[in-house]
Amino acid sequence: MLIKEKPHTRYRRLPLLVAFCTTFLFFYLRFASPSGPASARGLTPANSTLGFGALVAVSKPESARREGLLFAANITGLDITIPYQPEWTDGDVLGLISPEGSTMDRGSALAWLGHLNALRWFVKSGLQTALIMEDDVDWDIRLRTVQIPKVAAGLRQLTRSNAGYYGDPNNWDILWWGHCGDIHSPEKFNDPNLTRYSFVDDTLPPRDRMHPDMRNFLERVGVEKDVRMVHKTVFPLCSFAYAVTQDSARKLLDPRIAGKEKEGGCVAYDVRLCEVCRDLGFACWSSNPELFHHMEAPSEIANVNLGLHEQGKLGGFAGQHSPNIACGARSRNFYTKDPAALAYLQEVVGRQGHCLHDQLEEDMTMP
C-alpha cells in the first residue's frame, strides 16, 4: 500500500517513546499476555479487507483526509481501494437531483455522487461484496482482530448460514457497520420481530466516553455495559461505512431506488439509504454501537456549501478519541514518518491491540 505522508515536527519524540515502550511491553507481554489480545480470545483475525471482496473509500483526489485514512489502514493491516473520482459538474448535480421538489443542497449532492461512483466501481470489479467507507471514518485498532470476527459470527448466527465470512451474501443486502446511531424506542427494541444477536465486546469505550445519544439509547433500552449487538436495521443515519453485494449495489444504482434523488426530494444519500432499508424490502443489518464513526472534523458538505476548501489542513488525523471508538486508529498521536516507529506500531498497536494513547499524549506534553 502506498502512503503519502507529510512531515510533522510535533512527533519527533515518537522514536524515544518507541524505545521506552518496547522495553516495557517486552516484560508485559512476556509475563502477562504472551499470546496477545486477539489470540487470547480464541479469535482468528479477519483478512485485510475485513472478509469482504474490497474496502472501497469514497474520496476525491484532493481530499486532505486520505493521508490519515491510509496511515491508519497501514497500522491496522487494512487494504483500502480508492477509485478515481472525477470532478463533478453542474450537469452531474442536475442529473442527480429531482427536477421538482428537490430538498438537497450542493454539498449533499456531491457526497451522493461520490457514493454512486464507488458503487459503480464495485459493480464493474465483479467482486462479490464490498464495504463502502467515507474517507473521514475512524475505527478501533482491534477492528480486524476482535470486533469484525465477533460481528461476523453474530451475522452468521442471525442468517443461519456459514456459506461465507458474513454468511450467504444472498441473505443480506446492506450491512450498516458505520453510522451515527441506529437509535429507536424501547418499544421497537423489544419488538419480537426485531431479530438481534448480543455479545460481550470489551473493546467498547466506557459509557461516559460514548456520544450522549448512543449512551442514552443503550441505557434506555437496558443494554448492559460492554455489550454490542447485530440487529435488523431500524433507523440509522450517516453512511460512514456499509457493505453491499453485487445485487444490492446494482439496485442502489437504479434511479428509482438510490441512483438519483426521489421525486419530492431527499436531503441526503444516507437518508435515502435508510429509506431503502425501511421501505423497499432490503435486508439490512446494523452493528450497534457502530464499528466506524467519523473523526471530529469540519463537515466537508458544509465546507462545500460555504465555498471553503480543505487544502492546508492536517492530513485527516483525529484527536485522541472519536465518538464511540475506544482506541481510534486515526489518532494524530500515532503519526510518524520513521520506518522503525511505523513497524513498531503495526506490531504492538495493530496486531497485538495495545492502545498507546495515554503514553503518546503524555509525550506530547513534555517540554
Side-chain angles (χ1 to χ4, degrees):
M1 178 183 296
L2 297 177
I3 296 179
K4 298 178 181 179
E5 298 175 297
K6 300 176 184 177
H8 203 290
T9 56
R10 184 181 181 190
Y11 302 97
R12 61 189 180 276
R13 296 190 184 95
L14 184 56
L16 295 176
L17 180 66
V18 168
F20 168 78
C21 289
T22 300
T23 303
F24 170 78
L25 285 170
F26 171 80
F27 290 101
Y28 174 80
L29 296 174
R30 172 66 177 82
F31 297 107
S33 182
S35 58
S39 59
R41 294 176 169 88
L43 300 172
T44 300
N47 65 15
S48 61
T49 54
L50 301 180
F52 300 106
L55 304 178
V56 183
V58 178
S59 181
K60 57 187 182 182
E62 72 276 14
S63 174
R65 299 168 175 179
R66 284 194 182 191
E67 182 180 25
L69 176 74
L70 295 178
F71 188 84
N74 202 359
I75 289 177
T76 52
L78 301 186
D79 184 6
I80 296 177
T81 298
I82 305 179
Y84 172 73
Q85 179 174 299
E87 183 173 352
W88 305 116
T89 65
D90 290 342
D92 293 322
V93 173
L94 288 174
L96 175 71
I97 63 176
S98 175
E100 294 184 7
S102 176
T103 56
M104 189 169 18
D105 57 42
R106 182 175 179 81
S108 295
L110 297 181
W112 194 318
L113 288 167
H115 281 272
L116 296 181
N117 181 69
L119 290 171
R120 290 191 193 97
W121 179 93
F122 165 58
V123 168
K124 188 176 180 180
S125 76
L127 295 168
Q128 191 175 38
T129 61
L131 182 79
I132 311 296
M133 62 172 67
E134 297 177 351
D135 67 359
D136 63 344
V137 296
D138 197 3
W139 58 87
D140 192 278
I141 61 170
R142 294 150 298 193
L143 175 71
R144 178 181 174 184
T145 56
V146 177
Q147 295 176 343
I148 285 292
K150 288 192 171 189
V151 166
L155 186 67
R156 292 194 299 270
Q157 181 80 9
L158 287 166
T159 59
R160 300 178 182 178
S161 172
N162 290 309
Y165 193 73
Y166 294 97
D168 187 343
N170 294 313
N171 291 344
W172 55 267
D173 293 307
I174 295 174
L175 304 180
W176 214 316
W177 287 172
H179 49 77
C180 48
D182 191 338
I183 295 172
H184 41 278
S185 68
E187 291 74 22
K188 183 63 179 177
F189 182 81
N190 292 312
D191 185 335
N193 294 320
L194 182 62
T195 310
R196 65 176 181 270
Y197 179 89
S198 302
F199 54 91
V200 174
D201 185 349
D202 58 9
T203 68
L204 283 164
R207 289 282 171 88
D208 61 3
R209 274 184 44 205
M210 287 187 176
H211 189 282
D213 291 343
M214 178 59 68
R215 179 176 66 245
N216 292 338
F217 164 70
L218 294 174
E219 292 175 351
R220 188 168 64 248
V221 299
V223 175
E224 296 181 2
K225 295 179 180 178
D226 293 332
V227 168
R228 194 187 299 274
M229 303 169 289
V230 179
H231 61 73
K232 286 185 177 180
T233 293
V234 180
F235 194 72
L237 290 175
C238 306
S239 48
F240 298 148
Y242 58 96
V244 290
T245 66
Q246 278 287 328
D247 183 60
S248 62
R250 292 175 188 274
K251 289 178 180 177
L252 289 174
L253 289 168
D254 188 323
R256 296 167 298 179
I257 297 180
K260 65 178 299 179
E261 183 184 17
K262 68 178 182 178
E263 185 178 346
C266 183
V267 296
Y269 176 75
D270 65 307
V271 174
R272 186 56 182 159
L273 208 60
C274 182
E275 292 174 342
V276 163
C277 289
R278 186 189 63 196
D279 303 331
L280 299 185
F282 275 51
C284 304
W285 299 90
S286 297
S287 169
N288 220 357
E290 67 276 19
L291 299 171
F292 297 85
H293 199 102
H294 75 89
M295 59 184 183
E296 294 292 352
S299 165
E300 184 174 300
I301 292 176
N303 286 342
V304 169
N305 292 333
L306 292 172
L308 303 177
H309 301 282
E310 293 184 298
Q311 286 82 351
K313 296 180 181 179
L314 179 61
F317 291 90
Q320 187 173 2
H321 302 296
S322 294
N324 304 332
I325 306 294
C327 187
R330 287 184 78 155
S331 169
R332 64 174 60 96
N333 292 344
F334 289 144
Y335 182 78
T336 179
K337 287 182 67 70
D338 182 84
L342 176 59
Y344 170 85
L345 292 172
Q346 289 171 325
E347 175 60 31
V348 174
V349 175
R351 285 187 281 273
Q352 297 179 12
H354 295 284
C355 188
L356 306 179
H357 281 176
D358 291 341
Q359 295 97 314
L360 290 165
E361 191 69 24
E362 181 178 350
D363 185 64
M364 296 305 155
T365 62
M366 293 172 59

